[in-house]
Amino acid sequence: MSSITLRFLAEPNTVNFGGKVHGGTVMKWIDEAGYACATRWAKRYCVTVSVGTIRFQRPIMIGDLVEVEARLAYTGATSMNISVEVRAGDMKTGQMQVIAECVVVFVAVDADGKTIPVEAWLPETPGDMALAQNVRAHLQATRAMQPD
């Protein structure tokens, strides 16, 4: 399975002093959804390698329904690049808005903590193909900026 969506309610114990859900809580949810997606794909224990830029587009309010969708976007020999989108909204209206998006990179590891190969993921739909192309372009740009 190449995607997973976690759903839950934003509770009062997740808010900051401004009355909105903590950004750190949202980042934790992103990591958890990415982990579930990566582990399901690799069928092994996985660890986070990096998290791309997260841009918060609007706050999450107490009582909002929150969806964190993680989708496999690209695989390398040992890495899995997972696109994560966070949506939230009022359950009474059913309208969900995008809260944040990012790409999280995971690797599968063996019992000694060494990275191991993962099965290649091949996009099948036009949306999956476009997502894979965008992630590959982002990876190439990131690598080009790193010093040798």
Side-chain angles (χ1 to χ4, degrees):
M1 190 173 253
S2 62
S3 69
I4 190 166
T5 302
L6 305 181
R7 292 181 180 93
F8 46 90
L9 293 175
E11 298 178 341
N13 65 342
T14 62
V15 299
N16 59 26
F17 292 110
K20 317 292 190 297
V21 172
H22 281 280
T25 300
V26 177
M27 291 188 287
K28 178 179 180 273
W29 294 337
I30 287 169
D31 191 54
E32 290 172 345
Y35 169 80
C37 184
T39 300
R40 237 184 186 177
W41 181 257
K43 298 175 186 68
R44 300 293 286 247
Y45 178 67
C46 296
V47 295
T48 308
V49 173
S50 69
V51 179
T53 304
I54 301 172
R55 184 172 195 287
F56 295 98
Q57 299 175 27
R58 78 167 196 85
I60 298 174
M61 308 305 288
I62 294 174
D64 278 355
L65 176 65
V66 180
E67 297 181 341
V68 185
E69 181 183 15
R71 294 174 45 203
L72 198 53
Y74 177 73
T75 53
T78 61
S79 64
M80 295 162 283
N81 293 260
I82 297 175
S83 173
V84 181
E85 181 178 271
V86 180
R87 298 177 295 270
D90 185 332
M91 287 188 300
K92 294 182 289 298
T93 66
Q95 294 179 328
M96 302 291 278
Q97 294 180 327
V98 174
I99 301 301
E101 300 171 285
C102 67
V103 174
V104 185
V105 180
F106 286 86
V107 293
V109 295
D110 65 16
D112 296 322
K114 295 187 175 130
T115 59
I116 56 175
V118 295
E119 181 182 344
W121 176 76
L122 301 173
E124 295 177 358
T125 67
D128 287 345
M129 289 177 200
L131 181 60
Q133 184 177 355
N134 287 342
V135 168
R136 279 194 306 270
H138 175 74
L139 285 172
Q140 289 171 350
T142 300
R143 288 179 183 142
M145 293 182 345
Q146 294 176 351
D148 290 332

